[in-house]
Amino acid sequence: KNKLLTHQERLIIETGIRNGSSKKAIADTLGKEKSTIGKEIKLHRINSYKCKLPLECSNYAKCKHGRFCSTSCPDYIPFSCSRRDRSPGACNGCSKFSSCRFDKFFYKPDLTHKEYCSSLINTRIGINVTVNEIKQLGSILLPLLKQGQSIYQILASHPELSYSEKTLYTYIEDGVFKNVGIDISVFDLRRKVSRKIPKKKAITYKKREDRRFLKGRLYSDYKALMLEHPDFNVVQMDTVYNDVSNGPFIQTFKFIKYGFMFAILHDKKDAQNMLEGVNLLESIITPELFNTKVQVLLTDRGSEFTAADAMEIREDNARRTSVYYCDPLQSCQKGSLENNHIGLCYICPSGTNLHKLGLLDQEDLNTVISHINSSPKEKLNGKSPIEYLEFLNPVLMKKFYDFGMTKIDKDKVTLKPYLLLK
């Protein structure tokens, strides 16, 4: 009831004024006091049309004196509008708006709330103390700090100083005393070096991330591309790992058209390794197939996928694919690949040491991926991704067979960790 008005509440006030509601009716709708609504409208209404007459006279239309208005005129009657001057207090929605020649006041909720937010911020800018008070405070602090006393000791011996220890530290660190000519700096503080940098200041030292690789490659750009070219072949890409420090790291690729997943094992998770993974995939399926079957690479914004230009362009400057990035924290935008990771976790459970589990090289990973791709899928009408790809594109499937993948008999498909036991 006693909280400040929100933007939504100001919109309701404007609607009430437009409908000719009384201040009390608006206040009852919002659960506020009538005086609150009255003050809000009176303080924030804007005089958007100035009366062109010298005085607002009710008899201006029947004036017999050539409209030389003066308060001494015998026919002068001050104009009064119950809607404008009493309730609701503004001219929004008035039926006489076009014919009225007097001052018109409007209540604009968007502008009012913007001004309110600005004033709220401004009240928190700067320090709540005058220059003379800072000089007086500095004259007390300076000699005592030079004697080696701490802020706490000074405040303990000077109870007349109505400041907290934290406030005085902030004044000194922000150079408030130096601004008025008093030579007090952080080097006068006994524990200056050991004091932790405040969060608001520490963030200013944070290295800015280079996000130029995202330009023209946002998820909205991807959606626009697919709207224009719905037949483009999309491959979703990601990285899977259980130990971010020691790995191993599994770079996964999902050929959406075929429901087929491929994976490459890495010892490191960085942009160079992920680029090498893309290059390896191209060498496995040949550049000709890569051009037509990996027309779009959709991945997340992980730091390991920042080499977008190198993934898109070959060394001979020929384009081989287009890279796009999902929105932050929106893994659902490449949900098809995320669902395949569930099957991967059946064999390589989260939190386990994959090296100790038996995942030591690419051959072991080929075995894992072969079992996953040999599992029947409901979306493929009971066919496995390997069978589906083999039927639709036997040439592409042969490339993966040549790399070491195999088709597993459905009764022998194993999705348990013991698959990697040797």
Side-chain angles (χ1 to χ4, degrees):
K1 179 179 179 181
N2 298 317
K3 290 182 178 179
L4 298 174
L5 291 170
T6 64
H7 182 233
Q8 187 62 35
E9 289 172 333
R10 288 188 165 94
L11 290 172
I12 293 174
I13 291 174
E14 193 272 337
T15 302
I17 296 172
R18 195 166 2 98
N19 294 335
S21 303
S22 65
K23 295 174 185 174
K24 186 177 186 309
I26 298 173
D28 291 342
T29 301
L30 295 176
K32 303 284 184 181
E33 295 293 337
K34 176 184 174 182
S35 60
T36 300
I37 304 303
K39 290 176 183 177
E40 169 69 15
I41 296 172
K42 186 175 181 180
L43 287 173
H44 299 292
R45 67 180 189 172
I46 299 171
N47 190 346
S48 60
Y49 178 86
K50 292 281 187 179
C51 178
K52 296 180 181 180
L53 301 172
L55 292 172
E56 287 189 311
C57 177
S58 296
N59 289 324
Y60 89 97
K62 302 176 182 179
C63 182
K64 302 175 183 178
H65 310 287
R67 295 184 179 172
F68 294 104
C69 299
S70 169
T71 54
S72 59
C73 177
D75 294 331
Y76 170 65
I77 300 175
F79 173 77
S80 177
C81 174
S82 59
R83 182 188 181 100
R84 184 194 73 176
D85 301 327
R86 297 187 64 185
S87 187
C91 303
N92 304 53
C94 180
S95 59
K96 299 179 181 179
F97 172 81
S98 59
S99 60
C100 180
R101 295 295 179 267
F102 301 109
D103 287 354
K104 299 175 184 177
F105 292 88
F106 278 84
Y107 178 80
K108 299 182 178 181
D110 293 335
L111 179 61
T112 298
H113 193 71
K114 184 177 180 181
E115 291 176 349
Y116 158 73
C117 292
S118 178
S119 64
L120 198 64
I121 293 171
N122 290 336
T123 58
R124 288 160 171 77
I125 295 176
I127 58 175
N128 188 27
V129 64
T130 65
V131 172
N132 288 334
E133 288 173 337
I134 284 294
K135 288 182 177 180
Q136 185 178 359
L137 176 61
S139 65
I140 297 173
L141 294 179
L142 182 59
L144 298 176
L145 287 172
K146 297 298 183 183
Q147 292 171 206
Q149 292 192 28
S150 67
I151 295 294
Y152 173 80
Q153 291 172 325
I154 296 172
L155 290 175
S157 58
H158 288 269
E160 74 275 10
L161 300 179
S162 57
Y163 300 92
S164 69
E165 187 178 355
K166 183 179 183 300
T167 298
L168 293 185
Y169 273 121
T170 301
Y171 285 179
I172 294 171
E173 290 180 340
D174 289 348
V176 172
F177 295 103
K178 282 187 171 294
N179 290 339
V180 297
I182 298 176
D183 189 21
I184 297 178
S185 70
V186 291
F187 297 104
D188 297 313
L189 301 174
R190 281 176 20 184
R191 299 187 61 192
K192 180 261 174 186
V193 177
S194 62
R195 293 190 73 237
K196 187 177 180 181
I197 300 177
K199 288 184 179 179
K200 287 185 178 179
K201 288 189 176 182
I203 198 171
T204 62
Y205 295 97
K206 183 179 180 181
K207 186 176 178 61
R208 294 178 182 175
E209 296 184 31
D210 186 354
R211 293 292 186 182
R212 287 175 293 182
F213 69 93
L214 292 174
K215 186 176 181 180
R217 299 187 178 102
L218 299 177
Y219 190 72
S220 56
D221 300 316
Y222 163 75
K223 295 292 287 183
L225 175 74
M226 296 309 296
L227 192 62
E228 186 176 353
H229 302 283
D231 56 336
F232 270 13
N233 288 312
V234 178
V235 174
Q236 296 178 358
M237 178 173 62
D238 202 353
T239 309
V240 179
Y241 55 90
N242 286 347
D243 186 340
V244 69
S245 300
N246 303 313
F249 304 97
I250 304 172
Q251 183 178 10
T252 55
F253 299 90
K254 175 74 175 286
F255 291 76
I256 301 302
K257 182 177 180 179
Y258 309 111
F260 182 87
M261 183 172 72
F262 179 65
I264 297 172
L265 197 67
H266 297 282
D267 293 326
K268 295 181 180 180
K269 184 178 77 76
D270 55 28
Q272 181 59 36
N273 274 265
M274 297 304 115
L275 172 60
E276 290 174 0
V278 173
N279 293 338
L280 176 59
L281 174 61
E282 182 184 40
S283 67
I284 292 169
I285 67 174
T286 71
E288 292 74 22
L289 282 174
F290 193 95
N291 287 344
T292 57
K293 304 307 174 186
V294 192
Q295 291 171 296
V296 175
L297 265 178
L298 179 64
T299 186
D300 57 35
R301 300 190 180 193
S303 59
E304 70 271 26
F305 295 124
T306 56
D309 290 333
M311 286 190 284
E312 290 182 338
I313 309 297
R314 296 188 181 94
E315 292 183 357
D316 60 358
N317 293 324
R319 175 173 289 275
R320 58 182 173 182
T321 186
S322 295
V323 178
Y324 292 93
Y325 296 90
C326 298
D327 295 327
L329 303 177
Q330 292 293 326
S331 59
C332 59
Q333 292 175 349
K334 52 179 179 62
S336 182
L337 178 56
E338 295 295 335
N339 287 335
N340 270 75
H341 289 170
I342 296 174
L344 187 60
C345 287
Y346 292 153
I347 303 173
C348 304
S350 299
T352 59
N353 186 319
L354 299 184
H355 285 304
K356 291 184 178 180
L357 193 65
L359 186 62
L360 303 178
D361 53 30
Q362 184 64 44
E363 185 178 350
D364 294 328
L365 184 57
N366 285 347
T367 300
V368 172
I369 300 302
S370 294
H371 279 259
I372 293 174
N373 281 322
S374 297
S375 303
K377 304 294 181 183
E378 184 177 352
K379 287 187 176 182
L380 302 180
N381 297 317
K383 298 293 184 181
S384 69
I386 282 184
E387 291 176 321
Y388 202 66
L389 177 55
E390 197 173 40
F391 175 76
L392 293 177
N393 199 322
V395 175
L396 180 60
M397 189 64 240
K398 185 177 184 305
K399 301 298 181 182
F400 289 117
Y401 282 149
D402 293 341
F403 185 69
M405 295 191 64
T406 57
K407 183 195 294 185
I408 310 299
D409 185 274
K410 293 181 180 179
D411 289 336
K412 295 183 180 180
V413 169
T414 303
L415 302 177
K416 288 289 186 178
Y418 66 78
L419 173 67
L420 293 170
L421 294 178
K422 297 179 174 64

